[in-house]
Amino acid sequence: MADNFIERHRAEYEKKKGEWLKKKSHSPKHISSAEICRRRMTRECDD
């Protein structure tokens, strides 16, 4: 029943994989704990 599952869903898989990789490439590799605290404080002040 699922013999051709990968072949039938490959285009959808490749699309989702591309979107994930694009999103991942824009995320920072490392954020220091001080930067996280600064961002939290800024976000709380914006509300």
Side-chain angles (χ1 to χ4, degrees):
M1 183 169 153
D3 293 340
N4 296 326
F5 179 82
I6 293 174
E7 289 81 5
R8 288 185 285 131
H9 294 91
R10 186 165 186 87
E12 181 182 351
Y13 166 77
E14 292 294 338
K15 179 183 174 195
K16 287 182 179 182
K17 179 180 172 184
E19 291 171 357
W20 181 81
L21 288 172
K22 182 185 279 189
K23 184 172 70 171
K24 182 182 175 196
S25 69
H26 290 292
S27 64
K29 301 291 184 207
H30 176 74
I31 299 176
S32 68
S33 58
E35 179 66 16
I36 292 170
C37 290
R38 186 187 65 76
R39 289 182 182 186
R40 286 184 184 157
M41 296 297 282
T42 304
R43 191 177 313 130
E44 291 172 0
C45 294
D46 291 341
D47 293 338

Coordinates of all heavy atoms in Angstrom, one line a residue:
M1 N 0.8 -1.2 0.0 CA 0.0 0.0 0.0 C 0.9 1.3 0.0 O 0.6 2.2 -0.7 CB -0.9 0.0 1.2 CG -1.9 1.1 1.2 SD -3.1 0.9 2.5 CE -3.5 2.5 2.9
A2 N 1.9 1.3 0.8 CA 2.8 2.4 0.9 C 4.0 2.3 0.1 O 5.0 3.0 0.3 CB 3.1 2.7 2.3
D3 N 4.0 1.4 -0.9 CA 5.2 1.1 -1.7 C 5.8 2.4 -2.4 O 7.0 2.6 -2.5 CB 5.0 0.1 -2.8 CG 4.7 -1.3 -2.1 OD1 5.1 -1.5 -1.0 OD2 4.1 -2.1 -2.8
N4 N 4.9 3.2 -3.0 CA 5.3 4.4 -3.7 C 5.1 5.7 -3.0 O 5.0 6.7 -3.6 CB 4.5 4.4 -5.1 CG 4.9 3.2 -5.9 OD1 6.0 2.8 -5.9 ND2 3.9 2.7 -6.7
F5 N 5.0 5.6 -1.7 CA 4.7 6.8 -0.9 C 5.7 7.9 -1.1 O 5.4 9.1 -1.4 CB 4.6 6.5 0.6 CG 4.4 7.7 1.5 CD1 3.1 8.1 1.7 CD2 5.4 8.4 2.1 CE1 2.8 9.2 2.5 CE2 5.1 9.5 2.9 CZ 3.8 9.9 3.1
I6 N 7.0 7.6 -1.1 CA 8.0 8.6 -1.2 C 8.0 9.2 -2.6 O 8.1 10.4 -2.8 CB 9.4 7.9 -1.0 CG1 9.5 7.6 0.5 CG2 10.5 8.9 -1.4 CD1 10.8 6.8 0.9
E7 N 7.8 8.3 -3.6 CA 7.7 8.9 -5.0 C 6.5 9.8 -5.2 O 6.6 10.8 -5.9 CB 7.6 7.7 -6.0 CG 8.9 6.9 -6.1 CD 9.1 5.9 -5.0 OE1 8.2 5.7 -4.2 OE2 10.2 5.3 -5.0
R8 N 5.4 9.4 -4.6 CA 4.2 10.3 -4.8 C 4.2 11.6 -4.0 O 3.6 12.6 -4.4 CB 2.9 9.5 -4.3 CG 2.6 8.4 -5.3 CD 1.3 7.7 -4.9 NE 1.5 6.8 -3.7 CZ 0.8 6.8 -2.6 NH1 -0.3 7.6 -2.5 NH2 1.1 6.0 -1.6
H9 N 5.0 11.6 -2.9 CA 5.0 12.8 -2.0 C 6.3 13.5 -2.1 O 6.6 14.4 -1.3 CB 4.7 12.4 -0.6 CG 3.3 11.9 -0.4 ND1 2.9 10.6 -0.5 CD2 2.1 12.6 -0.2 CE1 1.6 10.5 -0.3 NE2 1.1 11.7 -0.1
R10 N 7.2 13.2 -3.0 CA 8.5 13.8 -3.1 C 8.5 15.3 -3.4 O 9.2 16.0 -2.7 CB 9.4 13.1 -4.2 CG 10.8 13.6 -4.2 CD 11.7 12.7 -5.0 NE 13.1 13.1 -4.9 CZ 13.9 12.7 -3.9 NH1 13.5 11.8 -3.0 NH2 15.1 13.1 -3.9
A11 N 7.6 15.8 -4.2 CA 7.5 17.2 -4.5 C 7.1 18.0 -3.3 O 7.7 19.0 -3.0 CB 6.6 17.5 -5.7
E12 N 6.1 17.5 -2.6 CA 5.7 18.2 -1.4 C 6.8 18.2 -0.3 O 7.1 19.2 0.3 CB 4.5 17.5 -0.8 CG 3.9 18.1 0.5 CD 2.7 17.3 1.0 OE1 2.2 16.4 0.3 OE2 2.3 17.6 2.1
Y13 N 7.5 17.0 -0.2 CA 8.6 16.9 0.7 C 9.7 17.9 0.4 O 10.3 18.6 1.3 CB 9.2 15.5 0.7 CG 10.5 15.4 1.4 CD1 10.6 15.4 2.8 CD2 11.7 15.3 0.6 CE1 11.9 15.2 3.4 CE2 12.9 15.2 1.3 CZ 13.0 15.2 2.6 OH 14.2 15.1 3.2
E14 N 10.1 18.0 -0.9 CA 11.2 18.9 -1.3 C 10.8 20.4 -1.1 O 11.6 21.2 -0.7 CB 11.5 18.7 -2.8 CG 12.1 17.3 -3.1 CD 13.5 17.2 -2.5 OE1 14.2 18.2 -2.2 OE2 13.9 16.0 -2.3
K15 N 9.5 20.7 -1.3 CA 9.1 22.1 -1.0 C 9.2 22.4 0.5 O 9.7 23.5 0.8 CB 7.6 22.2 -1.5 CG 7.0 23.6 -1.2 CD 5.6 23.6 -1.6 CE 5.0 25.0 -1.2 NZ 3.5 25.0 -1.3
K16 N 8.7 21.5 1.3 CA 8.8 21.8 2.8 C 10.2 21.8 3.2 O 10.6 22.6 4.1 CB 8.0 20.7 3.5 CG 6.5 20.8 3.4 CD 5.8 19.7 4.2 CE 4.4 19.9 4.1 NZ 3.7 18.9 5.0
K17 N 11.1 20.9 2.7 CA 12.5 20.9 3.1 C 13.2 22.2 2.7 O 13.9 22.8 3.4 CB 13.2 19.7 2.4 CG 14.6 19.6 2.6 CD 15.2 18.4 1.9 CE 16.7 18.4 2.0 NZ 17.3 17.3 1.2
G18 N 12.8 22.7 1.5 CA 13.4 24.0 1.0 C 13.0 25.2 1.9 O 13.8 26.0 2.2
E19 N 11.7 25.2 2.3 CA 11.2 26.3 3.2 C 11.9 26.2 4.5 O 12.3 27.2 5.1 CB 9.7 26.2 3.4 CG 9.0 26.5 2.1 CD 7.5 26.1 2.3 OE1 7.1 25.6 3.3 OE2 6.8 26.4 1.3
W20 N 12.1 25.0 5.1 CA 12.8 24.8 6.3 C 14.2 25.2 6.3 O 14.7 25.9 7.2 CB 12.7 23.3 6.8 CG 13.3 23.1 8.1 CD1 12.8 23.3 9.3 CD2 14.6 22.6 8.3 NE1 13.6 22.9 10.3 CE2 14.8 22.5 9.7 CE3 15.6 22.1 7.5 CZ2 16.0 22.0 10.3 CZ3 16.8 21.7 8.1 CH2 17.0 21.6 9.5
L21 N 14.9 24.8 5.2 CA 16.3 25.2 5.1 C 16.5 26.7 4.9 O 17.4 27.3 5.5 CB 16.9 24.5 3.9 CG 17.2 23.0 4.1 CD1 17.6 22.4 2.8 CD2 18.2 22.8 5.2
K22 N 15.6 27.4 4.2 CA 15.6 28.8 4.0 C 15.4 29.5 5.4 O 16.2 30.4 5.7 CB 14.6 29.3 3.1 CG 14.6 30.8 2.8 CD 13.5 31.2 1.9 CE 13.8 31.0 0.5 NZ 12.8 31.6 -0.4
K23 N 14.5 29.0 6.2 CA 14.2 29.6 7.5 C 15.4 29.4 8.4 O 15.8 30.3 9.1 CB 12.9 29.0 8.1 CG 12.5 29.6 9.4 CD 11.2 29.1 9.9 CE 11.2 27.7 10.3 NZ 10.0 27.2 10.9
K24 N 16.0 28.2 8.3 CA 17.1 27.8 9.2 C 18.3 28.7 8.8 O 19.0 29.1 9.7 CB 17.4 26.4 9.0 CG 18.6 25.9 9.9 CD 18.9 24.5 9.6 CE 20.1 24.1 10.4 NZ 20.8 22.9 10.0
S25 N 18.5 29.0 7.6 CA 19.7 29.7 7.2 C 19.6 31.2 7.7 O 20.7 31.8 7.8 CB 19.9 29.7 5.7 OG 18.9 30.4 5.0
H26 N 18.5 31.7 8.0 CA 18.3 33.1 8.4 C 18.4 33.2 9.9 O 18.5 34.3 10.4 CB 17.0 33.7 7.9 CG 16.9 33.9 6.5 ND1 17.7 34.9 5.8 CD2 16.2 33.3 5.5 CE1 17.5 34.8 4.6 NE2 16.6 33.9 4.3
S27 N 18.4 32.1 10.6 CA 18.5 32.2 12.1 C 19.9 32.3 12.5 O 20.8 31.7 11.9 CB 17.8 30.9 12.7 OG 18.5 29.8 12.3
P28 N 20.2 33.0 13.6 CA 21.5 33.1 14.1 C 22.1 31.8 14.6 O 21.3 31.0 15.1 CB 21.4 34.2 15.2 CG 20.0 34.2 15.6 CD 19.2 33.7 14.4
K29 N 23.4 31.6 14.5 CA 24.0 30.4 14.9 C 24.1 30.3 16.5 O 23.8 29.3 17.1 CB 25.4 30.3 14.4 CG 25.5 30.3 12.9 CD 24.9 29.0 12.3 CE 25.0 29.0 10.8 NZ 24.0 28.3 10.1
H30 N 24.4 31.5 17.1 CA 24.5 31.5 18.5 C 24.1 32.9 19.1 O 24.5 33.9 18.5 CB 26.0 31.2 18.9 CG 26.2 31.3 20.4 ND1 25.8 30.3 21.3 CD2 26.8 32.2 21.1 CE1 26.1 30.7 22.5 NE2 26.7 31.8 22.4
I31 N 23.3 32.9 20.1 CA 23.0 34.1 20.8 C 23.4 34.0 22.2 O 23.1 33.0 22.9 CB 21.4 34.4 20.7 CG1 21.0 34.5 19.3 CG2 21.1 35.6 21.4 CD1 19.5 34.6 19.1
S32 N 24.1 35.0 22.7 CA 24.6 35.0 24.1 C 23.4 35.2 25.0 O 22.4 35.7 24.7 CB 25.6 36.1 24.3 OG 25.0 37.3 24.2
S33 N 23.6 34.7 26.2 CA 22.5 34.9 27.2 C 22.2 36.3 27.5 O 21.1 36.7 27.8 CB 22.9 34.1 28.5 OG 24.1 34.6 29.1
A34 N 23.2 37.2 27.4 CA 23.0 38.6 27.6 C 22.1 39.2 26.5 O 21.3 40.0 26.8 CB 24.4 39.4 27.7
E35 N 22.3 38.7 25.3 CA 21.5 39.2 24.2 C 20.1 38.7 24.4 O 19.1 39.5 24.1 CB 22.1 38.7 22.9 CG 21.3 39.0 21.6 CD 21.3 40.5 21.3 OE1 22.1 41.3 21.9 OE2 20.4 41.0 20.5
I36 N 19.9 37.5 24.8 CA 18.5 37.0 25.1 C 17.8 37.8 26.1 O 16.7 38.2 25.9 CB 18.6 35.5 25.5 CG1 19.0 34.6 24.3 CG2 17.2 35.0 26.0 CD1 19.3 33.2 24.7
C37 N 18.5 38.2 27.2 CA 17.9 39.0 28.3 C 17.6 40.4 27.7 O 16.5 40.9 28.0 CB 18.9 39.1 29.4 SG 19.1 37.6 30.4
R38 N 18.5 41.0 26.9 CA 18.2 42.3 26.3 C 17.0 42.2 25.5 O 16.1 43.1 25.5 CB 19.4 42.8 25.5 CG 19.3 44.2 25.0 CD 20.4 44.6 24.1 NE 20.4 43.9 22.9 CZ 19.5 44.1 21.8 NH1 18.6 45.0 21.9 NH2 19.6 43.4 20.7
R39 N 16.8 41.2 24.6 CA 15.7 41.1 23.8 C 14.4 40.9 24.6 O 13.4 41.5 24.2 CB 15.8 39.9 22.8 CG 16.9 40.2 21.8 CD 17.0 39.0 20.8 NE 18.1 39.3 19.8 CZ 18.3 38.5 18.8 NH1 17.6 37.4 18.6 NH2 19.3 38.7 18.0
R40 N 14.5 40.2 25.6 CA 13.3 40.0 26.5 C 12.9 41.3 27.1 O 11.7 41.7 27.2 CB 13.5 38.9 27.6 CG 13.5 37.6 27.0 CD 13.7 36.6 28.1 NE 13.8 35.2 27.6 CZ 14.4 34.2 28.3 NH1 14.9 34.4 29.5 NH2 14.4 33.0 27.7
M41 N 13.8 42.0 27.6 CA 13.5 43.3 28.2 C 12.9 44.3 27.2 O 12.0 45.0 27.5 CB 14.8 43.9 28.9 CG 15.4 43.1 30.0 SD 14.2 42.9 31.4 CE 14.5 44.5 32.1
T42 N 13.5 44.3 26.0 CA 13.0 45.2 25.0 C 11.5 44.8 24.6 O 10.7 45.7 24.5 CB 13.9 45.2 23.7 OG1 15.2 45.5 24.1 CG2 13.4 46.1 22.7
R43 N 11.3 43.5 24.5 CA 9.9 43.1 24.1 C 8.9 43.4 25.2 O 7.8 43.8 24.9 CB 10.0 41.6 23.9 CG 8.7 41.0 23.3 CD 8.7 39.5 23.0 NE 9.9 39.1 22.4 CZ 10.7 38.1 22.8 NH1 10.3 37.4 23.9 NH2 11.8 37.7 22.2
E44 N 9.3 43.3 26.5 CA 8.4 43.7 27.6 C 8.1 45.1 27.6 O 7.0 45.6 27.9 CB 9.0 43.2 28.9 CG 9.0 41.7 29.1 CD 9.8 41.3 30.3 OE1 10.2 42.2 31.1 OE2 9.9 40.1 30.5
C45 N 9.1 46.0 27.3 CA 8.9 47.4 27.2 C 8.0 47.8 26.1 O 7.3 48.8 26.1 CB 10.2 48.1 27.2 SG 11.2 47.9 28.6
D46 N 8.0 47.1 25.0 CA 7.2 47.4 23.8 C 5.8 47.2 24.0 O 4.9 47.8 23.4 CB 7.7 46.6 22.6 CG 9.1 47.1 22.1 OD1 9.5 48.2 22.5 OD2 9.7 46.3 21.3
D47 N 5.4 46.3 24.9 CA 4.0 45.9 25.1 C 3.3 47.0 25.9 O 3.1 48.0 26.0 CB 3.9 44.6 25.9 CG 4.4 43.4 25.1 OD1 4.4 43.6 23.8 OD2 4.7 42.4 25.7

